[in-house]
Amino acid sequence: MPAERRPDRLPLRRRLPPAVALLLLAPWAAECSWGGFTADEFLLVIIVLAPMYGGAALLIRETARHLGAGWPAIVLLAAAFGVVQAGLVDQSLFNPDFLDDTEFADTQATAEATRVPGLGFSARQAVDYVGNHVLLSICAPIALIESYLGAVRRLRPWLGRPGLAVVTLLYLAGSALIFSDTRGSEGFLASPVQLAFATALALALIGTALLPRWRHRPRSPLVTVAPAGGWVPRPVLVGLLGMIGYFGLGLVPGWPGIAVAVAVAAVAGGLVARWSGRSGWGQRHVLAAASASLVVAAGFAYAVPTYAPATPAAALVGDVAISVVTLTLIGGAWWRLRRPTSADLPPAG
C-alpha cells in the first residue's frame, strides 16, 4: 500500500486557486447547470451551496489524490455523497412531498410507480438523485478543474491537513444549514429505518472506495499505472458515449426504466474502465467522459422549468447563460489540454 501523498510543494498561492475553483464550480454544476435557477440567482446559489457541494467535491478529490487512488474511488465516494445528501441531509429521497412547492410537483406520480416497499423511497428518484450527484455535482467539476492544470499537478493533492480540516468543517456546516432549512420548511424527518439504510449504504460505498485495490504505486510523478495496449476511441466518441449514457438514465419510465438505467450505466462504465487502462487513454478522454453530463444537462435546460415560476424571458436568459458557461468551461479546458506545455499522459484510474 503506497504511503499517503503530500500536496504539491508549490506555494499556497499556486495550490489554492484550483481548490477555490472547484469549491465554486460544484454548486453551479449541481443546481444551476440543468436549468433549476434563472441567471440572476446563480451567484446566490453558489454562495449558499458552495460549503456543501464544493466542500464535498474537494474532500472527495483530495481523499482520492492523497491515497493515490483514481476515478473508481472518486465515483464511489461521489455515490456515497449522493446517498448522504438525498438520504440524510435534505432527505429528498424519503420525503414524498419534497417537490410539492416547486414546478416539479407533477413528477411525484411517476416516482410512486417505483416505490420500494418497506423503505419508502422511489427507485426512479434514487437513480436520478444519486446519479446526478455523481455526474454533475462531483465528477464533472473535478475533471474540468483538473484539466486546466498541468499533468503533474492534476494528480497531486492541493491541500494539506490544515486545509482538509477547514474544508471538512465547511462541508459539515453547509450540510447542517441545508438540513435545518429543509427540516424547518418541510417539517419532515425520515424514519430510523430509512436513516439506518442510507447510513449503511453510504458507509458501504465509502469502505469500497477506500479499498487498497484502487490505489497504485506511481512509477513516476506523471504515470501511476503501467498502461496496457489496445484500441482506445477518440475523445469525441467517449463524450458521445457519456452523453448517451446520461440520457439513457431517464429514458424509460417505471421499473423497466430502472433496468435500462442500470444496464446503460454498467455498459458505459465498463467500457470507460476498460479503455482507461490502455496507453492511448489521456486527460482529454477523462474530460470528454465527465463533461458529457454537463452538455446534456445544458441542452435539457431549455425544456425543464425552474424550481420557482419564472417568466419565459427570464427562463430563456438563464438557459442561454447555462449554455455559454458550459461551452466556455469545456472549451477552455479542451484548449488548455491542447497546449504543448500541458503534456497529457495517462491519469490515475
Side-chain angles (χ1 to χ4, degrees), residues 265-312:
V267 171
L271 287 174
V272 169
R274 182 178 180 85
W275 293 329
S276 65
R278 297 176 176 175
S279 57
W281 184 270
Q283 186 63 22
R284 295 186 187 93
H285 295 86
V286 174
L287 175 63
S291 61
S293 57
L294 279 177
V295 174
V296 176
F300 272 112
Y302 291 91
V304 302
T306 53
Y307 279 118
T311 65

Side-chain angles (χ1 to χ4, degrees), residues 2 4 26 46 65 72 99 128 171-172 174-175 195 205 212 218 236 259 273 293 326 346:
E4 180 178 308
I46 292 172
R65 297 315 185 198
L99 297 174
D128 292 342
Y171 167 69
L172 292 175
S175 297
L195 295 175
L205 289 167
V236 65
S293 57
T326 300

Side-chain angles (χ1 to χ4, degrees), residues 116-145:
V116 178
L119 290 173
F121 72 89
S122 165
R124 173 74 274 164
Q125 288 180 329
V127 169
D128 292 342
Y129 293 166
V130 177
N132 278 310
H133 281 312
V134 170
L135 296 172
L136 293 179
S137 305
I138 306 298
C139 291
I142 291 175
L144 272 168
I145 299 303

Side-chain angles (χ1 to χ4, degrees), residues 84-93 95 98 133 178-179 182:
V84 169
Q85 175 60 31
L88 301 177
V89 178
D90 64 29
Q91 301 187 9
S92 55
L93 185 61
N95 184 359
F98 186 78
H133 281 312
I178 298 303
F179 172 80
T182 305

Side-chain angles (χ1 to χ4, degrees), residues 91 95 97 179-190:
Q91 301 187 9
N95 184 359
D97 302 323
F179 172 80
S180 61
D181 180 69
T182 305
R183 181 83 172 93
S185 61
E186 300 284 340
F188 174 85
L189 185 64

